[in-house]
Amino acid sequence: MTAARLISVNVGQPRDVELNGEIKQTAIFKDPVPGRVKVVDHHVDGDRQADQVNHAGVHKAVYAYAREDLDFWAAELGREIEDGFVGENLTITGYDVSHAVVGERWRVGGVEFEVAQPRIPCWKLGVRAGDKSMTRRFELALRPGAYLRVVAEGEVGAGDTVEVLSRPEHGFTVADASRIFHRDRAEAARLLAVDELAPPLKQWARKRLGLELEEEGG
């Protein structure tokens, strides 16, 4: 069995794009960078998110996606798909990122990460793909990738081994969380039982269960 490894570190800066006649900002366009790259202060050096509320912070410090899932999208879209296509910072091969257990810890190069939650797609995926249906297709495919917390800072680079250091016994995966959020909402209570799951999804589950009032504006 081939060891899981990092094949690309991808970064990007916010840029203007047009959506339905409006100018919006996104940093989903990310390109591979050479050499060793620092992961400090809850982000990959050289990378910045346009939306600091929904796409950044401790629980969404770094986004990882499997090359095998990118190959799935290449077949679906009928074209070549480059590393970084879904806005991931870390493109990994040899490991099923979308079925990582929430709370499991990885060592990649000199950095220790913890799996925090799945990617919940938005309009930016459609812009990146040049296909407005991409966001919905991403939801249905249940290949969300994983947002990671940074447990120990350091450097990463293409070729680094991805080592799973520990895995919670609950076995609840990011794909499970994605499935419940997008489809099987009657199972929302399961999200509250996963201590390591990022707070926003737990908040969504509490609202879904009527445990707290909906925020104004939804």
Side-chain angles (χ1 to χ4, degrees):
M1 181 177 178
T2 303
R5 63 186 177 86
L6 178 64
I7 59 173
S8 181
V9 181
N10 315 299
V11 303
Q13 294 288 318
R15 66 170 70 174
D16 289 340
V17 296
E18 183 177 342
L19 180 70
N20 299 326
E22 295 184 27
I23 300 299
K24 295 180 176 287
Q25 276 209 330
T26 177
I28 197 171
F29 293 87
K30 298 189 189 298
D31 296 308
V33 290
R36 310 296 295 170
V37 184
K38 293 181 179 179
V39 180
V40 294
D41 194 26
H42 309 300
H43 74 288
V44 177
D45 192 32
D47 189 64
R48 190 165 71 84
Q49 304 302 326
D51 182 349
Q52 292 290 310
V53 174
N54 294 309
H55 294 137
V58 173
H59 304 288
K60 294 183 178 180
V62 175
Y63 180 46
Y65 206 70
R67 181 63 238 184
E68 291 78 5
D69 284 335
L70 292 178
D71 292 340
F72 167 85
W73 290 116
E76 283 285 301
L77 299 173
R79 68 195 219 213
E80 290 187 7
I81 296 296
E82 64 273 17
D83 296 340
F85 178 75
V86 296
E88 79 275 12
N89 300 114
L90 307 180
T91 309
I92 290 169
T93 189
Y95 191 69
D96 189 353
V97 176
S98 289
H99 286 87
V101 173
V102 176
E104 72 178 38
R105 292 194 173 188
W106 306 348
R107 180 178 290 119
V108 185
V111 184
E112 185 175 335
F113 297 104
E114 182 177 87
V115 174
Q117 71 163 78
R119 165 81 166 275
I120 305 299
C122 66
W123 59 268
K124 296 177 182 182
L125 272 174
V127 169
R128 179 66 179 86
D131 181 346
K132 291 182 179 180
S133 72
M134 182 65 185
T135 300
R136 182 59 177 158
R137 293 169 75 171
F138 193 88
E139 293 174 1
L140 293 172
L142 295 180
R143 296 169 182 262
Y147 272 115
L148 310 173
R149 303 178 181 99
V150 178
V151 178
E153 298 177 343
E155 294 183 346
V156 295
D160 286 347
T161 298
V162 178
E163 178 185 2
V164 178
L165 301 176
S166 63
R167 181 177 289 125
E169 292 184 1
H170 56 67
F172 188 86
T173 69
V174 287
D176 290 328
S178 181
R179 174 182 58 79
I180 290 169
F181 182 85
H182 293 297
R183 189 175 70 201
D184 299 328
R185 296 184 168 186
E187 297 181 39
R190 293 186 64 194
L191 301 182
L192 301 180
V194 182
D195 291 340
E196 302 91 347
L197 188 65
L201 277 175
K202 289 188 173 184
Q203 183 181 30
W204 171 84
R206 286 193 294 269
K207 290 177 181 178
R208 184 75 187 173
L209 296 165
L211 299 179
E212 63 181 62
L213 296 175
E214 291 281 350
E215 293 180 357
E216 292 185 8

